[in-house]
Amino acid sequence: IFTSFFDDSIGGDTNGDGVSAGSNGDWRGLSLSNSHSSSLTHTRVRFAGQGNLPGVALDSSDASLSAVSIESCLVDGMSLTDNSFPTVSGCSFIDNGGDAVDRVLVSALPGFSANTASGNGLNSIRQSAVALQSNTTVVADNMLNGALVFPTSLNIGTGLTLTLEQGVAVKSTTAAFTVAVSGTLITNGTVGNPVIFTSFFDDSIGGDTNGDGASAGSNGDWRGLSLTNSHSSSLTNTRVRFAGQGLLPGVALQSSDASLSAVSIESCLVD
């Protein structure tokens, strides 16, 4: 356990000040920089976040975290720099003031599995501002609380493939969000468990991701899917909801021979 001097629930009244509890931001946190062999197992990090730092910061680190609980931190539970590819399994993020997990590259998502989050400012994994870095397959178990959250557009470049397996849900936080595909996008949804692209406000998918109480998406909350010179893309049992921002279609095909099977395009602002 890593915790505050004032946290009497761990080791008793260490500072001899009578009954006291730790507070969010009592200390900075763990910072793993260029640390590729570090391994945290059955570990708790409590009351960190001083200086608006995350409870656990990974900077160019491929550390392994298993059954780690990050609790009551001032801002984010865990945050990654853009070149961290950790293994994060069976971890919990509880009552942190910011995101449960922030700044995760799409290509780092396969390292996440079986994690939980509750009581955070955002109970999901927020992606970095990214273009896809390498061929990547994302499964539902890589998500946190039923959705992946994107603050900026996802770009799948020429020669790269992103595969989304059944049950993966993508939510966009910004009206300018576009899934821009010049490489290959493959979605392998099923009838009962489709792949879904939708609005941050759509509580019918992944629950109340943004923590604002009951809400529903609106036509035009985000831009949509744009497949340009994308000839191998294949969308199967997939839903596209509440797109159309900027009067764009939910799915735009530009010089594309993509295949769409059992795709539902719903509640978009225009086409």
Side-chain angles (χ1 to χ4, degrees):
I1 303 170
F2 299 87
T3 191
S4 165
F5 194 39
F6 307 100
D7 182 3
D8 292 356
S9 72
I10 307 299
D13 184 17
T14 307
N15 62 347
D17 68 344
V19 177
S20 65
S23 300
N24 302 24
D26 274 347
W27 61 293
R28 289 189 172 180
L30 306 188
S31 176
L32 283 68
S33 299
N34 296 303
S35 177
H36 303 299
S37 301
S38 291
S39 176
L40 310 182
T41 304
H42 290 288
T43 299
R44 299 173 71 189
V45 179
R46 294 166 54 84
F47 300 118
Q50 218 286 320
N52 290 325
L53 296 172
V56 176
L58 302 181
D59 181 5
S60 302
S61 174
D62 302 334
S64 172
L65 288 77
S66 175
V68 173
S69 178
I70 305 176
E71 314 161 13
S72 302
C73 296
L74 185 63
V75 283
D76 299 334
M78 183 165 69
S79 183
L80 285 60
T81 58
D82 285 348
N83 50 354
S84 291
F85 293 85
T87 300
V88 182
S89 176
C91 295
S92 56
F93 304 88
I94 304 168
D95 295 336
N96 300 294
D99 301 338
V101 184
D102 194 23
R103 294 177 55 82
V104 178
L105 293 173
V106 175
S107 293
L109 282 169
F112 288 75
S113 63
N115 300 300
T116 61
S118 62
N120 304 283
L122 176 72
N123 289 313
S124 298
I125 294 175
R126 188 190 295 270
Q127 310 308 128
S128 297
V130 295
L132 189 68
Q133 301 77 39
S134 59
N135 293 338
T136 302
T137 298
V138 178
V139 301
D141 195 43
N142 301 144
M143 300 188 300
L144 189 56
N145 278 15
L148 302 172
V149 174
F150 283 78
T152 58
S153 293
L154 168 61
N155 296 299
I156 303 170
T158 302
L160 293 176
T161 299
L162 175 64
T163 302
L164 303 180
E165 297 293 350
Q166 62 180 14
V168 171
V170 171
K171 286 187 168 185
S172 59
T173 66
T174 175
F177 177 70
T178 306
V179 180
V181 184
S182 55
T184 301
L185 173 64
I186 297 174
T187 62
N188 291 322
T190 63
V191 172
N193 209 9
V195 172
I196 302 173
F197 299 89
T198 191
S199 163
F200 195 40
F201 308 101
D202 181 3
D203 292 356
S204 72
I205 308 300
D208 183 17
T209 307
N210 62 347
D212 68 344
S215 64
S218 300
N219 303 21
D221 274 348
W222 61 290
R223 288 186 174 178
L225 308 189
S226 176
L227 283 67
T228 304
N229 296 309
S230 178
H231 303 300
S232 300
S233 290
S234 174
L235 310 183
T236 304
N237 286 304
T238 298
R239 299 173 70 190
V240 179
R241 295 167 54 83
F242 300 118
Q245 223 291 318
L247 300 180
L248 296 171
V251 177
L253 303 181
Q254 304 173 54
S255 302
S256 174
D257 303 332
S259 170
L260 285 76
S261 175
V263 173
S264 177
I265 305 175
E266 314 162 14
S267 302
C268 296
L269 186 63
V270 283
D271 300 337

